[in-house]
Amino acid sequence: MSDDSDNYMDAASFEGSDIVEDYQSSNPSEAFSDDDVEIEDNEAFIVNEPVKPKKSKFDVDYKVYDINDIISNQQSETEQVCSIFGLQRQDATILLRHFGWNREKLIERYSEDPERILKQVGLAPGTSASAQSDSRANSPVRLKRVKGFTCEICFTGSEDTSTQTLALACGHRFCSDCWKMHCEEKISGQGESRKIECMQGDCQTVMSEQVISQVVPEYIFQRYQTLANKTYVEDNRRGLRFCPGPDCGNVIECQVRGSDLESLIPIVVCKCGQASCFGCSFSGDHRPALCGVTKLWVKKCEDDSETANWISANTKECPRCHSTIEKNGGCNHMTCRKCRHEWCWICMGDWSAHGTSYYNCNRFEDKSGKDARDGQQKSRVSLERYLHYYNRFSNHEQSARLDQELYAKTERKMDEMQRSTSLTWIEVQFVKKAVETVTKCRMTLKWTYAMAYYLDRNSMTELFEDNQADLEKAVENLSELLEKPLDVETIPELRSQMQNATNYVKSRQNILLEDTLQGHMEDRWSYHITIPSLA
Amino acid sequence: MAQATKRITAEYTLISKERINGVSEVELVDDNIFEWAGYIHGPQGTPYEDGRFRFRLAYPDNFPFKAPAFQLKTPIYHPNFDPEGNICIGLLKSESWKPTTRVTQIFQAILQLLAEPNPDDPLDASIANDYSNNRSDFIKTAKDSVYKHATH
Ligand SMILES: [Zn+2]
Ligand SMILES: [Zn+2]
Ligand SMILES: [Zn+2]
Ligand SMILES: [Zn+2]
Ligand SMILES: [Zn+2]
Ligand SMILES: [Zn+2]
């Protein structure tokens, strides 16, 4: 690949102002599409339009809605019901909320017996189409000053004063302060938005949105609307779910049946960039592990958290001279500052053994590496086995974090370099790409260890572990490049090395994911435990 | 808070003036209008008839828009009370509580529940089982409990 074409790509994304935006619109199968290659083949100005990766057969269809979409969806659903039955909008909303936004059910039940349904949901009769001549239906509930009114709830009011009051269609009249307090307790105290009833004992008349807005302050009404939108998403049977991204609030629509989860992992990516699983609600991309495997593993790690804490400690002793070494980057290739011994953070074996043709640090073998790990005194084989996988799982999690920390430092340095040298911002973006790739691939690797923990030992599993080892080695190489010092002279060389390594890592991830997900569809993996169904 | 104080004071005045059958010695705890204490008397013809049960009634700051909390301090053998003396009745549930409900109605509902336990919605399943399937044992255990805890 030439430097020029690559600059075009970066420049285009830069001028398009939002690299993240490009990533947002991406499909989770981004990993399978060679987007870099595609873009380079295109003319530079076409690149401004985000390249939609092809959807693979391993992906699910989904849509991302923002809060305005959610509000307008409710409005159009409400209007449909209004037009069918000639109802007022606020009454249609109350009906829809009662039926959990299941329009079909509402239409069926309402057609059978409108009066009964209106009564059941707390709408006084008189609001149906047949009774539209009724004056009440056309005169909305309003605040009214009444002289000589005493409120039955707060005992306020007297013969000579006039009090601001309100009565719903049922006619139960109370002072407006009491209505306000009532709504505040329901909305802020109890988080209620489906149904707020009249304050009178045994009266089921429901307060409409229009009435609530008259008695509560603006901020409470906003809270009410937020709750109502949340309820719409939660009650909806269409398959809606909030994005778990921090402060996101977007809603994702996706159809997944429980039985799909035995062969499919429905990962969705929100516009905010947050990946999550629609099958098990996990906040992240847990491919290639199935939802059931993910659930088992998360539970196991919680149960064994003490062990987990112990094992994920940030320091280890050098296997040769026993001086304490702190890990300060994602790379697992450790060099002891004192004795210069090179060793592997994960298995504590010689690093030289890893550099040869056969990379076997990912594989749990009872004999090899056992001597080096002896210091970690394990009593039972099962615990040892678990620790093997947990150690690798949590190591990638931690390394991803350290890679990001390292990147933050690098970014500062790149900032400086831009100011003091002829390098442009665009010319140092390759590091960002590399870090993103490493981070994503460490997530994939993490979950391969969770999956491998439950796999039977057979030839299929060995092939799986070969793919895992290849990806892991590629990731560690790239991670190691990230730790190299940046200076103006070496940047061009480092850039080409890092771009090649990044592309290679991506291709290894594609191979692993594609083969493993295909294996799920073919039922090729066998587990030594029953994987729970999430139906 | 001002609304709550006014309403609770009115309720307290009412209850001090007109005695409710089955409720006695209603008083404020530490002169706090939001904390009532007193005794509930077991209704005639029930295993609880010889007992008197110390109760607490605690009002929230935004009473009467939120229900008060009722608790029996004296142990009682009854399917609708948990070991701490908490009770579960629709009238006092937050989702069905109504601001117009009077305190006298709360006492009446509790006396009613002592007279007629509701084993279908129990807080103590084993007592409910005893009540439904082994009435004579239930009555005996309930009476023993009254003599042990509720007759002094
Ligand atoms: Zn009032
Ligand atoms: Zn009413
Ligand atoms: Zn999001
Ligand atoms: Zn999942
Ligand atoms: Zn050393
Ligand atoms: Zn190793």
Side-chain angles (χ1 to χ4, degrees):
Chain A
M1 110 180 37
S2 77
D3 272 352
D4 277 348
S5 64
D6 206 61
N7 279 353
Y8 277 140
M9 178 182 77
D10 287 339
S13 337
F14 180 47
E15 274 151 28
S17 91
D18 218 342
I19 288 176
V20 188
E21 184 68 40
D22 258 351
Y23 169 65
Q24 284 169 13
S25 55
S26 75
N27 216 291
S29 68
E30 190 208 26
F32 305 125
S33 73
D34 296 317
D35 50 353
D36 283 352
V37 180
E38 251 171 67
I39 290 168
E40 280 161 31
D41 288 342
N42 285 329
E43 296 294 325
F45 32 80
I46 302 180
V47 180
N48 257 337
E49 290 174 19
V51 177
K52 289 261 174 187
K54 289 154 281 179
K55 180 182 169 281
S56 90
K57 62 176 165 178
F58 307 118
D59 291 328
V60 281
D61 282 316
Y62 63 93
K63 282 187 209 144
V64 181
Y65 299 108
D66 65 20
I67 192 65
N68 293 320
D69 298 331
I70 290 298
I71 291 167
S72 65
N73 283 359
Q74 289 173 74
Q75 282 167 352
S76 65
E77 286 173 43
T78 307
E79 251 131 49
Q80 279 190 32
V81 171
C82 288
S83 65
I84 295 172
F85 297 119
L87 288 162
Q88 292 189 12
R89 264 196 58 176
Q90 44 173 320
D91 295 343
T93 308
I94 288 169
L95 280 162
L96 276 163
R97 283 191 186 143
H98 181 89
F99 283 94
W101 293 90
N102 186 339
R103 252 176 309 160
E104 290 69 34
K105 193 173 162 198
L106 161 63
I107 290 167
E108 187 193 313
R109 300 280 303 279
Y110 189 84
S111 305
E112 282 166 17
D113 190 349
E115 296 300 313
R116 200 174 65 88
I117 296 299
L118 287 173
K119 203 168 168 239
Q120 192 190 337
V121 306
L123 286 167
T127 42
S128 71
S130 57
Q132 243 184 11
S133 56
D134 187 313
S135 62
R136 258 197 321 231
N138 295 322
S139 65
V141 174
R142 286 204 201 288
L143 290 169
K144 190 175 161 190
R145 286 207 157 269
V146 178
K147 194 154 190 275
F149 176 84
T150 302
C151 177
E152 223 191 292
I153 289 171
C154 63
F155 302 138
T156 306
S158 70
E159 297 261 322
D160 335 299
T161 57
S162 103
T163 307
Q164 190 69 276
T165 70
L166 186 130
L168 304 181
C170 55
H172 298 123
R173 189 167 292 278
F174 304 101
C175 80
S176 63
D177 266 1
C178 281
W179 285 111
K180 171 177 155 270
M181 297 285 286
H182 177 58
C183 291
E184 280 193 12
E185 163 60 18
K186 289 288 171 192
I187 296 164
S188 299
Q190 298 171 25
E192 180 59 80
S193 71
R194 284 181 185 83
K195 200 178 194 181
I196 300 178
E197 288 181 354
C198 173
M199 292 190 280
Q200 181 67 44
D202 294 329
C203 180
Q204 267 110 51
T205 305
V206 172
M207 295 182 79
S208 72
E209 226 168 276
Q210 173 259 335
V211 175
I212 293 166
S213 74
Q214 289 181 68
V215 297
V216 298
E218 179 61 22
Y219 77 98
I220 299 276
F221 190 64
Q222 274 172 14
R223 168 119 184 83
Y224 169 77
Q225 285 180 314
T226 305
L227 283 167
N229 291 333
K230 195 166 156 255
T231 307
Y232 169 76
V233 172
E234 283 163 1
D235 284 0
N236 213 299
R237 252 155 290 230
R238 241 179 25 200
L240 298 180
R241 197 174 281 168
F242 280 103
C243 164
D247 306 317
C248 174
N250 283 343
V251 173
I252 296 166
E253 175 175 359
C254 180
Q255 314 294 329
V256 188
R257 281 166 304 163
S259 57
D260 294 341
L261 301 179
E262 282 159 32
S263 58
L264 194 78
I265 304 158
I267 298 301
V268 295
V269 180
C270 177
K271 284 179 186 160
C272 72
Q274 171 79 49
S276 60
C277 176
F278 217 85
C280 64
S281 302
F282 186 82
S283 309
D285 182 350
H286 64 64
R287 289 178 307 172
L290 290 173
C291 292
V293 168
T294 304
K295 201 178 173 186
L296 277 179
W297 179 257
V298 169
K299 177 84 172 59
K300 172 140 190 81
C301 293
E302 273 166 15
D303 295 349
D304 292 275
S305 66
E306 234 170 274
T307 321
N309 288 339
W310 168 74
I311 205 79
S312 64
N314 226 351
T315 58
K316 277 184 186 172
E317 285 181 4
C318 167
R320 192 189 284 167
C321 73
H322 304 292
S323 62
T324 302
I325 296 196
E326 195 182 333
K327 201 161 182 259
N328 66 355
C331 176
N332 289 318
H333 182 173
M334 306 306 291
T335 303
C336 176
R337 254 181 236 134
K338 200 170 157 202
C339 73
R340 312 304 305 168
H341 176 54
E342 291 180 47
W343 50 284
C344 167
W345 174 266
I346 297 179
C347 69
M348 300 185 76
D350 279 10
W351 186 261
S352 57
H354 294 62
T356 57
S357 55
Y358 197 58
Y359 181 72
N360 68 352
C361 183
N362 65 321
R363 199 159 293 189
F364 180 74
E365 278 156 59
D366 278 346
K367 285 188 184 104
S368 77
K370 188 166 162 50
D371 296 345
R373 292 194 300 270
D374 258 352
Q376 305 187 4
Q377 15 143 318
K378 297 148 197 153
S379 51
R380 285 176 299 127
V381 176
S382 68
L383 176 64
E384 193 173 345
R385 195 178 165 277
Y386 165 67
L387 287 178
H388 169 90
Y389 291 98
Y390 179 77
N391 198 2
R392 282 152 185 77
F393 177 90
S394 80
N395 179 67
H396 281 297
E397 192 164 73
Q398 197 186 5
S399 292
R401 211 162 40 236
L402 293 171
D403 284 332
Q404 304 250 8
E405 280 170 21
L406 194 68
Y407 175 65
K409 273 185 223 151
T410 311
E411 210 172 23
R412 278 199 295 277
K413 198 168 169 196
M414 291 190 306
D415 245 22
E416 275 170 39
M417 283 169 76
Q418 268 179 80
R419 263 177 269 126
S420 56
T421 70
S422 59
L423 283 169
T424 63
W425 181 83
I426 291 154
E427 283 173 294
V428 288
Q429 280 309 290
F430 65 94
V431 185
K432 188 181 164 104
K433 276 220 144 85
V435 172
E436 275 170 12
T437 305
V438 165
T439 309
K440 279 190 195 170
C441 289
R442 286 202 190 280
M443 292 306 120
T444 305
L445 281 169
K446 230 175 81 171
W447 290 103
T448 60
Y449 282 110
M451 178 169 161
Y453 177 71
Y454 296 107
L455 281 177
D456 274 334
R457 301 259 21 130
N458 60 29
S459 58
M460 291 301 157
T461 299
E462 273 176 35
L463 289 174
F464 172 80
E465 287 179 333
D466 287 345
N467 281 331
Q468 182 189 42
D470 288 341
L471 176 59
E472 189 154 65
K473 191 178 178 189
V475 166
E476 294 306 345
N477 278 338
L478 182 54
S479 181
E480 202 164 336
L481 284 177
L482 284 170
E483 287 191 355
K484 285 207 170 165
L486 273 180
D487 59 71
V488 188
E489 290 75 45
T490 58
I491 271 198
E493 195 202 331
L494 187 60
R495 171 154 75 178
S496 107
Q497 274 185 340
M498 218 181 268
Q499 280 171 344
N500 287 338
T502 304
N503 287 339
Y504 180 64
V505 166
K506 277 187 184 170
S507 75
R508 292 312 322 175
Q509 189 197 22
N510 287 354
I511 292 167
L512 184 144
L513 280 179
E514 213 159 329
D515 182 70
T516 313
L517 300 184
Q518 184 65 38
H520 288 318
M521 289 185 165
E522 293 167 1
D523 205 10
R524 197 199 304 150
W525 311 116
S526 71
Y527 301 91
H528 55 70
I529 188 167
T530 309
I531 304 302
S533 103
L534 281 99
Chain B
M1 193 86 172
Q3 262 160 319
T5 309
K6 187 163 182 181
R7 166 78 182 259
I8 302 167
T9 308
E11 297 267 8
Y12 188 68
T13 312
L14 198 75
I15 225 158
S16 313
K17 231 170 21 202
E18 302 166 23
R19 280 206 54 219
I20 307 170
N21 242 342
V23 181
S24 71
E25 294 171 54
V26 180
E27 58 183 7
L28 305 184
V29 180
D30 299 331
D31 278 335
N32 179 358
I33 191 79
F34 289 86
E35 286 268 349
W36 294 13
Y39 290 98
I40 293 270
H41 297 260
Q44 290 297 310
T46 73
Y48 311 107
E49 64 184 349
D50 294 331
R52 56 173 210 160
F53 302 86
R54 186 83 177 152
F55 75 81
R56 277 289 181 104
L57 191 58
Y59 298 90
D61 284 351
N62 64 341
F63 185 80
F65 305 100
K66 189 177 173 188
F70 182 90
Q71 193 187 19
L72 278 191
K73 292 291 182 188
T74 309
I76 187 166
Y77 189 80
H78 188 292
N80 303 104
F81 285 88
D82 75 7
E84 275 74 50
N86 298 307
I87 189 177
C88 176
I89 52 171
L91 196 72
L92 293 179
K93 278 185 190 162
S94 64
E95 64 271 21
S96 47
W97 165 257
K98 291 287 192 173
T100 54
T101 305
R102 297 284 184 240
V103 177
T104 50
Q105 287 173 277
I106 298 172
F107 287 126
Q108 269 146 16
I110 283 155
L111 287 164
Q112 176 62 26
L113 195 67
L114 290 186
E116 273 177 57
N118 175 10
D120 298 330
D121 188 17
L123 272 184
D124 190 314
S126 75
I127 302 178
N129 187 46
D130 215 15
Y131 178 82
S132 301
N133 304 319
N134 219 334
R135 189 62 60 91
S136 57
D137 275 11
F138 168 82
I139 292 169
K140 189 180 179 304
T141 316
K143 276 187 172 165
D144 287 352
S145 171
V146 167
Y147 290 120
K148 196 167 163 206
H149 303 289
T151 44
H152 339 281

